[in-house]
Amino acid sequence: MEATDVPRAVPALATERRFAQRLRECLEEEQLLDGRYQLQQGPGRRVALPVLEEKLSRLRLPPEVPCERVWIQDPVPSRAARRRTPAQKLRDELRRLLGGTWSEELERDVPHAWQRHGDLVLLSEDSFKAAPWERLGEGEQGLPAPLLPAGCPHFPVCRDGCVAGSALWETVASALGARRVARRGRVMPDGLRTPSVTLLLGQDGWVEHVDNGIRYTFDVTKCMFSPGNITEKLRVASLPCSGEVLVDLYAGIGYFTLPFLVHAGAAFVHACEWNSHAVEALHRTLVLNGVQDRCHIHAGDSRQLELRDVADRVNLGLIPSSEGGWPVACRVLKKDTGGVLHIHHNVETPPTPAPPQTPALPAERGSPEATGSGGEAQHPTEDGGKEMLGARLRPEWRRWAEATATRIQGLLAELHGQPWRTSILHIEAVKSYAPHVQHLVLDLECRPVLPV
């Protein structure tokens, strides 16, 4: 519990010290003891025990436990309260808000995880979906007070007879230390990957997110932020791009545009994006990071891009496939020197059959056998290690990379009327996109074959 959450005074029952233990047992039995605060020593060897005020009316104490109602000024949070996780705090505050209407159904529906963007908490789409929550949530939108379910706690009522404020979402925000609350829905199938996000508390959805020292800003109700690509963003940031011109064909809010500019040292980036909301977010993000003079945003369909012969490097960060952008990527590469393409793609990767179990002598520490086949370390994927990736490339990945290299080589030769060579520099496994589907990035070097 944070200091800012502690009220100035809380209700309590005071009794003589010799009756304190008996009073505590009675309060615990009736679930009336407010465990969020410490008991307080008072004058005359008296002890005050904090209680839940909304339940005091049903308290029945035995006559041998005399007490009186008092207020504890500046209460001190209990050790248990200070140790509460945010999820526990959220559950406790909601239970206190709803009082006697609390149920197991509601408790199961309280989220245990969420995304935080500054002062905005983004809940998952399956949280607070039980019918009682839905009815309470509608109250903030102006549901007539008489239609609220019987037994719900009292919400303030406006002069027009509608429920005022947003007591439910204000409680959620307070418990999680936020000012705004939103809830995710499914991504819309509109070709723009527009999120279906409902703002439950707050005036707007604009947030700021810091990732690898880069400040991104976007409207969570209009744009998505993809934390799953962090390994690729870190890799891009480390590439040697000093003095280079780069074209980012699917810039979004700047997932890769900004690392190329801020960390990799690209001289200039042409960023292409057709989602108007992402374009606005990208513009603001460029200004936030002071690199707006080194980037030009091309709003619209990147397949209609009129640039030619400008790029040392092209990023094609679209999945499940960026194949629609391959001809454009070939056109924007510098025709005299070529450059590097970073091609994203989802590749089907069947599970590897388990190797036969054969007896083997135990390897000594430090021997080549102790590190695995060929001395290669094994690393789990992001989906919790269901599929293990070795340092050695999977055959499916190699076949896809070679087929892509051949296709790009043909497009370049056809475009320029002269032979080109393509070389596979690197294949990066970014993440497991779905069962047996891997998000890969191919770094492909493309150079014109100079006449002898």
Side-chain angles (χ1 to χ4, degrees):
M1 179 177 296
E2 299 175 4
T4 54
D5 299 326
V6 178
R8 296 183 64 86
V10 296
L13 293 179
T15 187
E16 296 179 36
R17 185 175 298 179
R18 59 194 175 114
F19 297 122
Q21 184 58 35
R22 180 71 178 115
L23 177 59
R24 184 188 187 101
E25 292 171 355
C26 292
L27 292 175
E28 288 178 339
E29 184 177 347
E30 296 292 331
Q31 296 184 342
L32 296 178
L33 186 68
D34 193 342
R36 296 173 299 169
Y37 307 105
Q38 295 182 12
L39 56 82
Q40 188 178 77
Q41 303 288 340
R45 298 177 60 84
R46 294 175 67 80
V47 177
L49 287 78
V51 294
L52 299 171
E53 184 178 20
E54 62 272 16
K55 298 182 179 181
L56 276 180
S57 59
R58 73 186 196 202
L59 177 62
R60 298 293 181 268
L61 288 175
E64 66 271 17
V65 184
C67 63
E68 63 176 334
R69 180 172 172 177
V70 298
W71 288 87
I72 296 178
Q73 302 297 324
D74 300 320
V76 178
S78 65
R79 289 183 180 179
R82 292 195 296 267
R83 287 197 304 266
R84 283 189 305 172
T85 66
Q88 290 170 331
K89 183 176 180 181
L90 175 60
R91 181 198 61 206
D92 293 345
E93 293 301 319
L94 290 170
R95 185 199 297 267
R96 184 167 179 264
L97 173 70
L98 297 184
T101 63
W102 186 256
S103 66
E104 290 185 5
E105 177 190 17
L106 294 177
E107 180 151 0
R108 287 194 301 269
D109 215 31
V110 176
H112 297 279
W114 46 85
Q115 288 184 11
R116 180 180 294 276
H117 299 284
D119 68 351
L120 184 145
V121 166
L122 184 58
L123 305 172
S124 62
E125 63 179 295
D126 58 349
S127 58
F128 295 108
K129 300 298 285 186
W133 292 126
E134 290 291 322
R135 291 192 290 268
L136 281 173
E138 288 171 1
E140 76 180 79
Q141 303 296 335
L143 183 68
L147 296 184
L148 283 172
C152 277
H154 172 72
F155 287 85
V157 179
C158 293
R159 284 173 295 181
D160 61 2
C162 292
V163 174
S166 47
L168 171 59
W169 305 122
E170 286 176 354
T171 299
V172 172
S174 175
L176 300 182
R179 293 178 179 270
R180 295 176 292 167
V181 179
R183 180 168 56 197
R184 279 201 312 261
R186 296 187 180 277
V187 176
M188 296 180 183
D190 56 1
L192 302 176
R193 290 187 61 76
T194 304
S196 174
V197 173
T198 302
L199 190 64
L200 304 169
L201 181 68
Q203 297 300 315
D204 66 73
W206 280 95
V207 300
E208 186 174 314
H209 185 90
V210 179
D211 190 72
N212 192 25
I214 297 172
R215 297 167 64 192
Y216 295 89
T217 184
F218 57 99
D219 186 340
V220 294
T221 67
K222 307 294 184 184
C223 303
M224 294 180 61
F225 186 85
S226 179
N229 294 334
I230 182 62
T231 56
E232 180 61 9
K233 284 183 281 189
L234 291 172
R235 190 180 77 92
V236 160
S238 68
L239 293 174
C241 302
S242 179
E244 293 185 349
V245 174
L246 180 130
V247 174
D248 191 352
L249 286 180
Y250 310 100
I253 67 171
Y255 300 116
F256 300 113
T257 299
L258 269 296
F260 275 118
L261 285 168
V262 174
H263 295 308
F268 198 86
V269 173
H270 294 275
C272 307
E273 178 53 45
W274 67 357
N275 183 333
S276 60
H277 302 295
V279 167
E280 173 64 17
L282 175 58
H283 172 72
R284 294 190 184 195
T285 295
L286 290 168
V287 173
L288 263 182
N289 292 274
V291 292
Q292 67 272 23
D293 294 337
R294 292 163 48 210
C295 182
H296 179 77
I297 302 175
H298 299 265
D301 190 337
S302 61
R303 291 171 295 188
Q304 309 302 321
L305 187 65
E306 295 183 358
L307 288 177
R308 286 177 176 267
D309 187 25
V310 297
D312 300 291
R313 196 178 294 264
V314 183
N315 193 62
L316 298 101
L318 181 66
I319 54 174
S321 175
S322 61
E323 190 168 354
W326 294 359
V328 183
C330 292
R331 287 200 303 270
V332 300
L333 273 182
K334 291 181 177 177
K335 64 180 181 180
D336 293 332
T337 56
V340 176
L341 306 182
H342 301 285
I343 304 173
H344 292 236
H345 197 81
N346 282 353
V347 177
E348 291 190 16
T349 309
T352 305
Q357 298 295 321
T358 55
L361 293 175
E364 295 181 8
R365 184 180 299 274
S367 68
E369 293 81 9
T371 59
S373 176
E376 297 163 354
Q378 303 291 311
H379 304 282
T381 62
E382 287 190 4
D383 60 359
K386 295 179 182 177
E387 185 178 14
M388 301 300 288
L389 302 176
R392 193 174 290 165
L393 292 177
R394 297 288 297 271
E396 298 83 5
W397 305 353
R398 172 65 68 177
R399 285 195 293 269
W400 166 75
E402 290 174 346
T404 300
T406 300
R407 173 79 187 284
I408 296 293
Q409 184 179 32
L411 288 173
L412 287 165
E414 181 180 355
L415 175 66
H416 297 292
Q418 70 177 82
W420 280 61
R421 61 178 176 81
T422 54
S423 306
I424 297 172
L425 299 179
H426 179 73
I427 301 174
E428 180 74 13
V430 178
K431 64 179 182 293
S432 177
Y433 182 82
H436 314 313
V437 177
Q438 196 73 26
H439 174 185
L440 303 182
V441 180
L442 166 63
D443 294 350
L444 187 68
E445 185 179 33
C446 308
R447 304 293 181 192
V449 177
L450 302 177
V452 179

